[in-house]
Amino acid sequence: MLLAKGPAITISLLCLILPGVPASATSVSYSTYASWSAAVTNPIELNYSAVNGAGGNYSTAAGKTLTPMSGPSLPFIFTGPEAGGYQLTGGDFTTRNLVSLYGPANGAGNITVTLPTGGENAFLLGLGATNNATSMTIALSDGETFTVAPAANTTSFLGVSISHDVAWITITTPTQPLVDDFFFAGSKLSQDTASPGNAPVAVEGSTFSLIGGGLLSLLGIRRKLTSRKSSEAM
């Protein structure tokens, strides 16, 4: 993994006090693979080789299911809901030459990732947007939201570790969102005694802003490199 040299990005910690969510609920956000992976256990990447990067069309309610590169064959279901239907396609994000899943192009839909049964409590997304969108909103099933300012023509990264499981993630931008990588793991945070449940919370979630150059500190992804360990040593 190639990591940019420079100051570490500040980690944001938030205590949520939301209806149906325990007061102890916490989440921590990260903008590099290195900082996120240090806060979780057993990070595993999804296998994007199942995506047809030469115009694959998954614009149905079933979308496209990706499974982990190692371990159990858990289903992570990607769909592209928009008004009146679905739009989800495969393509190459040319600046990084990585196969990606593209969502609705009209700015009125999103990419929804339905997580395996029981949910997950830690994940990292490789995010991009067409036409140099100035913002992306990532919402979780517990009602929390994150705002990412994508860097032009490259990938931004959002890693999250949570003190409870969530059932789904949505990714929205005023133009067209894309996801070119997805890791999941086990959070090292103490897990809440009472589960907040996986239904949406009917209040506005908390927002993190991950701005500018810090989001560029991850320059490569494991599937593009032959050895993570050797590159992290750089």
Side-chain angles (χ1 to χ4, degrees), residues 9-10 12 29-31 147-150 157-159 208-212 215:
I9 304 305
T10 301
S12 299
S29 64
Y30 307 85
S31 58
T147 300
V148 174
F157 297 90
L158 172 67
F208 298 87
S209 293
L210 304 176
I211 305 297
L215 291 171

Side-chain angles (χ1 to χ4, degrees), residues 8-148:
I9 304 305
T10 301
I11 296 172
S12 299
L13 176 64
L14 183 71
C15 293
L16 302 176
I17 305 177
L18 299 173
V21 180
S24 61
T26 57
S27 63
V28 187
S29 64
Y30 307 85
S31 58
T32 67
Y33 176 87
S35 58
W36 174 79
S37 63
V40 301
T41 59
N42 191 31
I44 301 174
E45 188 178 23
L46 296 189
N47 187 358
Y48 269 71
S49 66
V51 177
N52 181 354
N57 191 341
Y58 314 108
S59 301
T60 67
K64 182 63 178 176
T65 297
L66 300 185
T67 56
M69 294 184 71
S70 61
S73 184
L74 301 172
F76 290 74
I77 304 171
F78 291 71
T79 57
E82 61 175 347
Y86 293 86
Q87 182 182 352
L88 186 72
T89 56
D92 286 330
F93 191 24
T94 55
T95 58
R96 297 203 326 135
N97 294 319
L98 291 179
V99 173
S100 307
L101 284 169
Y102 287 77
N106 59 8
N110 63 67
I111 297 176
T112 295
V113 186
T114 302
L115 304 176
T117 301
E120 300 292 340
N121 58 17
F123 60 86
L124 181 138
L125 302 170
L127 300 168
T130 62
N131 298 325
N132 298 336
T134 57
S135 66
M136 303 184 76
T137 300
I138 295 82
L140 310 184
S141 62
D142 65 359
E144 186 173 5
T145 62
F146 300 81
T147 300
V148 174

